[in-house]
Amino acid sequence: MKALPNTTPAAGKRLSPRPSQGVEHGGDLTAVRARFPDAPEPWIDLSTGINPVPYPVPALPTEAWTRLPERAQEQALIAAAARRYGVTDPTTIVAAPGTQALIQTLPRLLSQSRVAILGPTYEEHEVCWRRQGHETTIVTDLDQTTDADVVVLVNPDNPTGRLVAVEDMPSPSKLLVVDEAFIDLLAPACSLAGNLPPNTIVLRSFGKTYGLAGVRLGFAIAEPETADRLRLEFGPWAVPGPALELGRLALDDDGWLNATAERLTADRQRLDDILVEAGFTILGGTPLFCLAEHPDASTFVERLGRHGIHIRRFRHQPRWLRFGLPGSDAAFERLRNSFSN
């Protein structure tokens, strides 16, 4: 793949009418507390797909906080990521301050293109491509992407959990972007990272599986020229020292990840059982969240809010609710009891 050209929207080109601040996200506890001021504390936040039992943060070396990040530290993180994601060439991996930063950067690196995004999915992809003046369309089937220059898909999808098999991936004329933010806990064969096709960029998230979203760490896996271009865009010291150190430790910890996968599988089944008992239909999800449907979903948003439990709703799909995993037995019981009180 040729290095991506640096382009900006042509003069007078209208950008997206949908600013990013208009996108709804989970995790907005300040806003939901204002809506339910009498709800019991502490709140249980089930509105994100972030592991509620995070990787234990050790004491980090003082130098991680006081010195500028060194190249050797970044190389050690990249080596750990390469092993974790099955990537044979570490030069194809770019560390970034969160996957969101990569999602915002990629549309700036391509000339004006026809972009097809497989949806419904994480809305920031659409917002960021439109903002840079690309002709952006949401499609519901990969058969609708044949005329696209760029195809974007989240795999497995957020919020539906839809999983596109590796052999069914499209081959756009310019670029395939596959956001694998929730793939860590699936079989390695589900990922493109270890066998990257031409004209493809894979995004991997650190914070979700490891429960450390505040670290702001993500990775792009791309052909060498494209990886170099991304590094130039982010410049030196893109990832802070504490994130480099903590990311390396966590990605190298096979025992923690294996135990976490077992726990999350059991907890996801436990969540599904509670929701089915409450009259929901399970539509899909991943080991980190469940998408469920109910004809009276808005009533449950209010009921759970009064009980200090925050869940994710969707303005374009009013019957859908996404539930992250409770992080303890007490949280599971509080959720179960909230449906009946």
Side-chain angles (χ1 to χ4, degrees):
M1 180 179 179
K2 295 181 179 180
L4 300 178
N6 185 14
T7 60
T8 56
K13 184 77 173 181
R14 291 193 63 187
L15 301 185
S16 170
R18 296 178 57 188
S20 60
Q21 56 265 35
V23 176
E24 293 182 2
H25 295 290
D28 54 341
L29 278 182
T30 299
V32 78
R33 277 193 174 102
R35 288 183 55 217
F36 300 100
D38 298 325
E41 295 279 353
W43 274 79
I44 298 175
D45 186 4
L46 307 184
S47 69
T48 73
I50 298 169
N51 185 352
V53 183
Y55 185 81
V57 178
L60 299 178
T62 300
E63 291 78 8
W65 302 95
T66 60
R67 292 181 56 84
L68 287 172
E70 296 186 5
R71 183 170 178 77
Q73 292 175 288
E74 183 176 14
Q75 289 175 332
L77 170 67
I78 294 296
R83 191 182 70 85
R84 169 61 53 216
Y85 303 145
V87 176
T88 57
D89 182 359
T91 66
T92 64
I93 302 180
V94 180
T99 307
Q100 178 63 34
L102 289 160
I103 291 171
Q104 293 175 198
T105 300
L106 287 175
R108 299 201 297 265
L109 306 187
L110 247 67
S111 57
Q112 303 308 295
S113 305
R114 293 167 298 179
V115 180
I117 301 174
L118 186 63
T121 194
Y122 182 57
E123 292 184 31
E124 288 286 350
H125 285 288
E126 179 186 2
V127 165
C128 292
W129 285 97
R130 285 189 183 276
R131 185 186 297 127
Q132 299 304 321
H134 297 277
E135 180 184 327
T136 305
T137 305
I138 304 297
V139 300
T140 57
D141 193 287
L142 287 175
D143 290 341
Q144 300 170 301
T145 67
T146 54
D147 294 331
D149 302 312
V150 180
V151 177
V152 180
L153 62 97
V154 179
N155 204 45
D157 183 55
N158 171 22
T160 67
R162 173 196 61 235
L163 185 66
V164 177
V166 168
E167 59 269 22
D168 294 330
M169 292 288 176
S171 299
S173 62
K174 284 188 180 177
L175 185 66
L176 171 64
V177 179
V178 184
D179 182 347
E180 296 184 346
F182 289 98
I183 212 167
D184 285 356
L185 301 165
L186 303 186
C190 295
S191 171
L192 289 177
N195 189 20
L196 192 73
N199 300 332
T200 299
I201 298 176
V202 171
L203 307 181
R204 296 293 290 252
S205 171
F206 173 78
K208 296 177 178 63
T209 296
Y210 291 88
L212 297 171
V215 172
R216 308 312 304 138
L217 178 62
F219 301 92
I221 300 148
E223 293 173 286
E225 287 183 278
T226 299
D228 287 343
R229 179 60 199 282
L230 283 168
R231 291 189 193 95
L232 287 173
E233 286 295 312
F234 284 108
W237 315 304
V239 178
L244 295 175
E245 183 71 15
L246 185 53
R248 178 187 63 80
L249 292 171
L251 290 168
D252 272 339
D253 195 334
D254 294 345
W256 182 89
L257 187 62
N258 292 336
T260 294
E262 290 184 13
R263 175 183 59 79
L264 291 172
T265 298
D267 285 354
R268 171 62 203 276
Q269 184 60 58
R270 188 175 179 183
L271 174 62
D272 287 6
D273 292 344
I274 291 173
L275 295 177
V276 170
E277 276 181 26
F280 284 86
T281 299
I282 307 301
L283 299 180
T286 73
L288 285 169
F289 63 80
C290 171
L291 181 68
E293 182 180 47
H294 196 284
D296 200 15
S298 60
T299 296
F300 284 100
V301 172
E302 296 300 312
R303 177 186 295 180
L304 293 173
R306 291 194 298 271
H307 284 83
I309 299 175
H310 185 26
I311 55 178
R312 178 73 163 86
R313 58 182 177 179
F314 300 89
R315 58 189 171 190
H316 300 303
Q317 297 285 352
R319 295 164 60 100
W320 288 7
L321 295 176
R322 192 189 67 191
F323 293 79
L325 296 177
S328 65
D329 289 342
F332 270 106
E333 285 309 303
R334 187 167 153 191
L335 175 64
R336 184 190 300 273
N337 293 337
S338 296
F339 283 125
S340 57
N341 295 328

